[in-house]
Amino acid sequence: MTAGPVRVARDGVVFVVEPDWSDAREIQFWNAYAQGWERDTLAAIAEFLPPGGVHLDIGAWIGPTLLFAAARAREAYGFEPDPAAFAKLRRNVALNPALAARIRIKRAALWIRDADLSFAVSAPGDSTTSAMLRQGEVPALTAPAFDARGPAIAPLLARADFVKMDIEGAEFDLVPHIADLLAARRPALHLSFHAHRLDKTDPAAWAAKQRACVAALACYPRVLAWDEGAWRDISDERDVAYERALSRGGLEASLLYTASGPRASA
């Protein structure tokens, strides 16, 4: 890669980004994206976001999954609270006029109420910015949050075909808060779990919060896990699916909740 905007390609989708060439981590990220970053996430979008569908990207960061999804979607909405990440997201979207016509982005988090949320940040624009402050962490920024049940967001959830949620621990509060909205539409939900962001000073409360999040997803008839390069239906094992995903994924684990199973292999 050379300085200035560059084209990146994955799985038949090509778009333009402009990395911060002074940031080695960002350059490394876009190289990793082109070489196979988060195969599970992009495969889920490719299989379960219908052409012409509506995509919600909750935790859009600098845009890799939002831009990828916008190539399929009729409408794609991205929410990112970190101002440094959002500035890069806005720039990357603007570099792709055809995709930008389908995309709407907002510098905000989705949450259980309208609020100004405090976030822990390991570095400006980093992908691990989290509103779940652990003991001893000092807030590094404050950003607006919209109540996901409020008038700005609930209608989007009512039309969504695919929701990607990667919000560094806040999923354990947000998913139960919107459980009935998810149940009404049952959009495919690619959910990243970050249990390590939760406060562990009360082990019983820590476990109960995780159980409540998983229980809120009972409206989905199918639970899928990424296994050997494909999404596999593990609905018959859903009682232990979350624990197994954590045991495999370490700090972060993802599952896919859908109304139908994966396509049969050819």
Side-chain angles (χ1 to χ4, degrees):
M1 289 184 175
T2 57
V6 293
R7 288 160 56 91
V8 294
R10 271 289 298 279
D11 303 336
V13 175
V14 181
F15 52 80
V16 178
V17 299
E18 186 173 5
D20 178 352
W21 294 98
S22 67
D23 186 341
R25 295 172 309 157
E26 189 173 347
I27 297 169
Q28 183 181 31
F29 166 74
W30 285 114
N31 276 310
Y33 173 89
Q35 295 167 14
W37 170 87
E38 290 204 11
R39 293 183 189 277
D40 64 318
T41 309
L42 299 192
I45 293 169
E47 182 165 350
F48 289 95
L49 172 61
V54 176
H55 174 77
L56 267 61
D57 202 312
I58 306 173
W61 191 38
I62 62 176
T65 53
L66 180 64
L67 289 163
F68 184 87
R72 294 179 63 81
R74 178 180 77 256
E75 302 171 38
Y77 298 86
F79 300 89
E80 174 53 52
D82 185 308
F86 184 80
K88 295 177 181 181
L89 170 64
R90 181 169 53 193
R91 181 182 64 209
N92 289 335
V93 169
L95 287 168
N96 298 272
L99 298 180
R102 311 172 194 172
I103 294 174
R104 298 293 181 270
I105 56 175
K106 189 72 175 178
R107 190 179 81 80
L110 299 192
W111 188 231
I112 61 174
R113 57 182 175 274
D114 292 330
D116 288 326
L117 282 182
S118 297
F119 290 83
V121 179
S122 58
D126 189 79
S127 64
T128 60
T129 297
S130 176
M132 308 305 288
L133 299 180
R134 293 178 291 199
Q135 191 171 20
E137 282 188 317
V138 177
L141 66 88
T142 300
F146 294 144
D147 186 341
R149 299 184 64 85
I153 307 302
L156 298 181
L157 286 168
R159 297 192 296 112
D161 296 295
F162 193 100
V163 177
K164 188 226 81 181
M165 187 183 299
D166 188 353
I167 51 177
E168 303 296 323
E171 66 275 4
F172 293 102
D173 289 316
L174 183 57
V175 167
H177 183 62
I178 60 173
D180 61 327
L181 300 178
L182 293 173
R185 175 73 173 175
R186 291 196 301 197
L189 172 65
H190 184 279
L191 179 57
S192 296
F193 295 99
H194 304 81
H196 66 287
R197 292 296 323 180
L198 298 179
D199 185 354
K200 297 182 181 179
T201 55
D202 183 342
W206 177 73
K209 185 177 278 287
Q210 294 175 76
R211 287 196 301 271
C213 182
V214 173
L217 296 164
C219 62
Y220 283 96
R222 301 291 185 182
V223 183
L224 281 64
W226 185 251
D227 182 34
E228 297 185 352
W231 284 105
R232 183 171 66 89
D233 193 333
I234 58 167
S235 304
D236 292 342
E237 309 163 25
R238 68 184 304 147
D239 290 344
V240 295
Y242 172 72
E243 289 79 6
R244 287 182 180 172
L246 283 187
S247 68
R248 291 194 304 268
L251 294 180
E252 178 178 343
S254 298
L255 291 171
L256 180 60
Y257 295 84
T258 69
S260 61
R263 289 193 297 259
S265 301

